[in-house]
Amino acid sequence: GFGWAPFFTGKRMTGYGHTGGWGGFGTYYYHDLPSRQTIVFLGNGRPLNMDNFWYALTDIVAQHGLP
C-alpha cells in the first residue's frame, strides 16, 4: 500500500488503516489497537457508495466499540 493512516484519540494512537481501489473495486482496512480487532471491507462499489458506508460503519464503532 501507498499510505497507512494512523488514528488518534487525543495524543494516543488508537488504530491505523488503509483504503484503496482500482477499476470499480474498493478495499478498506482498519485495526483497532485497544481491542486488537480488525475490520476489512471489500466491495465492487456499484451501486453502494463504499465511502459513505465506511464512514457510517466507523462512526458506529467509535460510538459503541467492537464486540
Side-chain angles (χ1 to χ4, degrees):
F2 291 109
W4 289 90
F7 294 87
F8 290 89
T9 300
K11 293 184 178 186
R12 183 173 180 225
M13 188 170 131
T14 55
Y16 54 89
H18 180 73
T19 64
W22 187 262
F25 293 92
T27 60
Y28 294 76
Y29 173 94
Y30 175 75
H31 180 74
D32 185 72
L33 290 169
S35 68
R36 298 177 55 194
Q37 293 183 315
T38 300
I39 297 172
V40 177
F41 178 52
L42 307 171
N44 63 5
R46 305 289 188 270
L48 175 66
N49 183 320
M50 291 178 52
D51 288 334
N52 288 344
F53 185 87
W54 179 255
Y55 294 132
L57 177 63
T58 54
D59 285 345
I60 291 169
V61 171
Q63 291 177 17
H64 303 287
L66 292 170

